[in-house]
Amino acid sequence: MRVPSRAGGPAPSLRSSGPPRPPRRGRFGVHLFLSAVSLVFLAPLLLAVLASLRPYEETAERGYFSFPEKLSFDHYREAYTASGMGEHFTNTLIVAVPAVLVTLFLAAFTAFAVARLDLRGGVALLVFLTAGNLLPPQVLVTPLYVLFLHVDLPWWMSDSMSLYDSYWAVILVNIGFQVGFCVFVLANFMRTLPKEVLEAAIVDGAGVWTRFWRITLPLCRPALAALATLEFTWIYNDFLWALIFISDPGKLPVTSSLNNLRGQFFTDHNLLAAGSVLVALPTILVFLLLQRHFVAGLTLGSGKG
């Protein structure tokens, strides 16, 4: 649409000038590249799912990279019952859920003090907590093992009467190793929050607890959701600490149940694949439930200068 100008010449177009769109061919190339990368990362999972649905005799005869003739869920039922996965799932939740909640709670407190209270030595504390993540966990295996053997607990906290061979040992170790990373992420996120909000709360007479619990934490919900997803995945998949600090097979987490599917002289890899898929399902479910907040937490600050 054109409007005649006063001088009689052609008038400029009234179409809104938005940001230039990328060429259609370029967008197609980007989508094709991202699809190819996604398939590369999903290929092992898809192969494991396919192998878990096929009989071992068929894959032994025709190979894993062949078109299946028969698919069934028999391996999933056998993997769940033969490995005692239900009990081990409960053990994992007993460790993972409190560890994630306590880690985020302590990290949020520390990050708020470092980022919003002008704590003296706050930067040094943040550097100290972050540097702790650079220490290899294997270095602390022997000192922690000896320490936990000498820490006594009452009978109602541990049937072994000590910190060793109890859920508390694995929970405390995971909290100690994960809280530094969470403080680093939350402190940097809290610094991006507008100072005017907290200043207005101070003028209205809000105390430290009110500013933390009712103002700062709700604004940190995307970051907390992203950290909760990552922390649950990391603690859920942990195998080292439970193997070292727990001797009772009935207390081991679900990652150890896969060892029960390995025979002394023969291992059915299709059965093992079914067990691996069952073990991975909770982490996939958590990611799907928190996907929107997780993606929002990853893209925080991407639009800031």
Side-chain angles (χ1 to χ4, degrees), residues 67-126:
F67 191 79
E69 293 184 354
K70 179 183 178 182
L71 300 176
S72 66
F73 291 92
D74 296 339
H75 281 145
Y76 287 94
R77 181 169 57 253
E78 183 180 355
Y80 186 83
T81 56
S83 64
M85 199 169 291
E87 180 182 3
H88 293 296
F89 265 129
T90 304
N91 297 336
T92 300
L93 293 179
I94 292 175
V95 172
V97 174
V100 171
L101 294 178
V102 174
T103 298
L104 294 181
F105 189 70
L106 295 178
F109 264 117
T110 309
F112 180 76
V114 171
R116 286 304 185 186
L117 296 183
D118 296 329
L119 184 67
R120 179 176 298 180
V123 176
L125 177 62
L126 183 61

Side-chain angles (χ1 to χ4, degrees), residues 135-156:
L135 189 66
Q138 293 79 5
V139 176
L140 297 177
V141 167
T142 302
L144 288 176
Y145 179 81
V146 176
L147 176 64
F148 290 169
L149 283 175
H150 292 82
V151 176
D152 297 329
L153 293 179
W155 61 268
W156 53 271

Side-chain angles (χ1 to χ4, degrees), residues 9-299:
S13 175
L14 296 180
R15 294 179 180 177
S16 59
S17 58
R21 294 185 178 181
R24 187 176 300 274
R25 183 178 302 176
R27 285 189 297 170
F28 176 77
V30 171
H31 292 166
L32 183 62
F33 172 76
L34 293 178
S35 301
V37 173
S38 301
L39 288 177
V40 170
F41 278 94
L42 289 175
L45 178 61
L46 297 177
L47 183 61
V49 173
L50 179 62
S52 65
L53 297 174
R54 303 178 64 180
Y56 178 79
E57 294 76 11
E58 180 180 318
T59 54
E61 178 183 355
R62 306 178 57 185
Y64 287 94
F65 296 95
S66 60
F67 191 79
E69 293 184 354
K70 179 183 178 182
L71 300 176
S72 66
F73 291 92
D74 296 339
H75 281 145
Y76 287 94
R77 181 169 57 253
E78 183 180 355
Y80 186 83
T81 56
S83 64
M85 199 169 291
E87 180 182 3
H88 293 296
F89 265 129
T90 304
N91 297 336
T92 300
L93 293 179
I94 292 175
V95 172
V97 174
V100 171
L101 294 178
V102 174
T103 298
L104 294 181
F105 189 70
L106 295 178
F109 264 117
T110 309
F112 180 76
V114 171
R116 286 304 185 186
L117 296 183
D118 296 329
L119 184 67
R120 179 176 298 180
V123 176
L125 177 62
L126 183 61
V127 172
F128 177 76
L129 292 173
T130 306
N133 292 327
L134 304 178
L135 189 66
Q138 293 79 5
V139 176
L140 297 177
V141 167
T142 302
L144 288 176
Y145 179 81
V146 176
L147 176 64
F148 290 169
L149 283 175
H150 292 82
V151 176
D152 297 329
L153 293 179
W155 61 268
W156 53 271
M157 292 185 65
S158 172
D159 54 4
S160 64
M161 305 293 292
S162 68
L163 194 57
Y164 176 76
D165 195 22
S166 68
Y167 298 118
W168 298 102
V170 185
I171 292 174
L172 291 176
V173 169
N174 280 299
I175 292 174
F177 270 91
Q178 301 300 333
V179 71
F181 171 75
C182 294
V183 169
F184 175 77
V185 174
L186 289 175
N188 285 280
F189 173 74
M190 289 181 183
R191 288 194 178 100
T192 65
L193 299 178
K195 296 182 179 180
E196 293 78 8
V197 177
L198 294 181
E199 291 174 354
I202 295 175
V203 172
D204 291 338
V208 176
W209 175 256
T210 302
R211 282 178 278 155
F212 169 75
W213 186 257
R214 303 187 61 180
I215 299 176
T216 304
L217 275 190
L219 294 175
C220 294
R221 186 177 302 171
L224 290 172
L227 286 175
T229 306
L230 292 175
E231 292 299 324
F232 180 82
T233 302
W234 291 339
I235 298 175
Y236 179 91
N237 290 327
D238 175 67
F239 181 68
L240 174 65
W241 298 123
L243 189 65
I244 294 173
F245 299 131
I246 292 181
S247 60
D248 186 359
K251 298 179 181 178
L252 291 175
V254 69
T255 50
S256 64
S257 64
L258 297 178
N259 283 334
N260 299 334
L261 301 177
R262 301 175 64 92
Q264 183 178 1
F265 303 104
F266 169 76
T267 299
D268 188 345
H269 295 284
N270 297 41
L271 181 64
L272 192 61
S276 301
V277 173
L278 288 176
V279 170
L281 282 180
T283 56
I284 297 175
L285 180 62
V286 169
F287 175 77
L288 292 177
L289 292 176
L290 300 177
Q291 180 182 9
R292 181 170 60 88
H293 298 289
F294 179 72
V295 174
L298 292 180
T299 57

